[in-house]
Amino acid sequence: MKLHEYQAKEVFDEAGIPVPDSTLASSVDEVVTAAEEIGYPVAVKAQVHVGGRGKAGGIKLAENEEEAREAAESILGMDLKGYTVEDVLVEAGVDFVNELYVGVTMDRGEGEPVAMVSTQGGVDIEEVAEKTPEAIARVHVDPAFGMHPYQARNAVHGAGVDREHSRDVASILTTLYDLYEERDASDIEVNPVMITSDGDVVAADAVMNIDDDALFRQPELAEMEEASYEDDLERKAGEYGFDYVRLEGNVGIIGNGAGLVMTTLDLVDHYGGQPANFLDIGGGAKAERVTNALDMVFSDENVDSVVFNIFGGITRGDEVAKGINEALEQFDEIPKPVTVRLAGTNAEEGMEILDTDLVEVEKTLEDAVQRAVSDAQEVNQ
């Protein structure tokens, strides 16, 4: 579960991490009122789960009421990388002289959490890691013992943070790790941590993602779950219990198992298409679950065709076929062309069950993907 920036900052503030004064607003008048109460200058920031909000026009600075009103009118309701902006965070402007990156995530290769610090904050940290990996100081933490103070100091020193601010940055890193552990986070970061002209250290942004399977022991965060959804599709995915990511293409993808879905995404790209989503229905999926998956993909206006990739193991091919038939029978007219590939347990039985008047059936994944890509291209001709 992804927290919005404003939600993550509430958690950070409660934990003692310094954050700018801010107010959530959903209308132009609310933005102006909040800006006046906070005091100019302010930043008006779109609350959507996408990176690069500033470059896309989702963050604007305002020095007075007129600029605040213009910023609100520009951002509220805008389409930002496929998401409609319904709320903005009005935040006190920060007069900064330097930007840092501080974060904690899981290093699956090492099997331990890794704490990271870099003096190249305010930019895409993945890009920094790719082009100048030496600019990121990393310290692995044994979860049995937690982060020791010396480890935080080592990370800050290794990144080259000046001594005047190293203690405050180390404190933020230590608190982030504590939150990572106590709140069952999958990753948590501040990008950027701003060094102000007065010498203060402030968390100007906040990212915090929570392990969905741990929400039962995080009731306070679980209450934020509904507000964290970006749109009806993500809300549906949460209700159905699907692993779902909305993408920017037009070929809908459904599979059972993350690896199988990722392979299908890669093949769609390989054959000249663009994936519209990542949707994993998981193992042991029954007819009702398959019906829900098709309902989700059909509800996405960006989808022009659907490829269904199932390898029978726990999920039996005949059960999947029944689910596909039941889902499609609910429509007077099939809204999108559907191509199905079945393999594995009871695949032959499933192929016989499938209503070929409603779906196209291919024996290989490559053929199924090529047909789905072709179908999507025909819709746009």
Side-chain angles (χ1 to χ4, degrees), residues 179-367:
L179 288 173
Y180 173 87
E181 186 178 73
E182 295 167 2
R183 298 302 188 97
D184 292 300
S186 55
D187 52 85
I188 186 169
E189 66 179 36
V190 180
N191 188 20
V193 171
M194 287 185 170
I195 309 298
T196 73
S197 56
D198 295 329
D200 296 326
V201 179
V202 179
D205 194 13
V207 173
M208 187 174 184
N209 299 327
I210 310 301
D211 183 347
D212 289 326
D213 294 331
L215 283 176
F216 73 94
R217 59 187 185 193
Q218 300 291 341
E220 180 183 346
L221 298 179
E223 291 179 0
M224 300 180 180
E225 184 172 20
E226 183 175 352
S228 73
Y229 292 129
E230 291 291 353
D231 57 21
D232 290 339
L233 287 176
E234 291 193 355
R235 186 172 291 107
K236 272 188 177 182
E239 293 171 355
Y240 291 152
F242 291 146
D243 290 328
Y244 173 82
V245 179
R246 192 176 188 183
L247 304 174
E248 298 180 357
N250 63 346
V251 179
I253 296 172
I254 303 172
N256 63 321
L260 203 64
V261 178
M262 287 300 298
T263 299
T264 312
L265 262 72
D266 289 342
L267 281 174
V268 168
D269 182 70
H270 175 74
Y271 287 117
Q274 291 185 307
N277 65 273
F278 173 105
L279 178 51
D280 175 13
I281 63 175
K286 302 297 183 181
E288 180 182 359
R289 191 166 177 82
V290 177
T291 302
N292 292 339
L294 283 168
D295 173 60
M296 274 199 61
V297 177
F298 284 161
S299 299
D300 188 343
E301 296 179 355
N302 294 333
V303 171
D304 292 323
S305 71
V306 180
V307 58
F308 212 120
N309 183 16
I310 295 294
F311 185 86
I314 298 175
T315 307
R316 288 166 29 201
D318 56 332
E319 284 287 345
V320 174
K322 290 176 184 177
I324 294 172
N325 287 344
E326 288 179 14
L328 297 177
E329 287 168 1
Q330 297 178 22
F331 298 90
D332 295 331
E333 181 179 352
I334 306 305
K336 330 268 184 177
V338 179
T339 303
V340 180
R341 176 261 189 175
L342 290 178
T345 306
N346 290 4
E348 292 184 5
E349 292 88 337
M351 301 283 268
E352 293 175 0
I353 291 172
L354 283 171
D355 186 344
T356 54
D357 291 333
L358 302 178
V359 299
E360 299 164 328
V361 180
E362 296 289 350
K363 290 185 178 180
T364 70
L365 176 56
E366 290 80 1
D367 289 343

Side-chain angles (χ1 to χ4, degrees), residues 8-9 11-13 15-19 100-105 113-117 141 147 152 168-193 203 205-209:
K9 282 184 172 175
V11 177
F12 287 8
D13 183 44
I17 296 177
V19 297
L100 312 175
Y101 169 89
V102 178
V104 180
T105 190
V114 58
M116 299 173 289
V117 181
V141 181
M147 177 176 282
D168 290 337
V169 177
S171 175
I172 289 178
L173 179 59
T174 301
T175 304
L176 285 183
Y177 182 83
D178 290 342
L179 288 173
Y180 173 87
E181 186 178 73
E182 295 167 2
R183 298 302 188 97
D184 292 300
S186 55
D187 52 85
I188 186 169
E189 66 179 36
V190 180
N191 188 20
V193 171
D205 194 13
V207 173
M208 187 174 184
N209 299 327

Side-chain angles (χ1 to χ4, degrees), residues 1-14:
M1 183 188 79
K2 296 181 179 180
L3 297 188
H4 284 295
E5 177 189 3
Y6 78 90
Q7 295 171 321
K9 282 184 172 175
E10 290 175 2
V11 177
F12 287 8
D13 183 44
E14 182 180 333

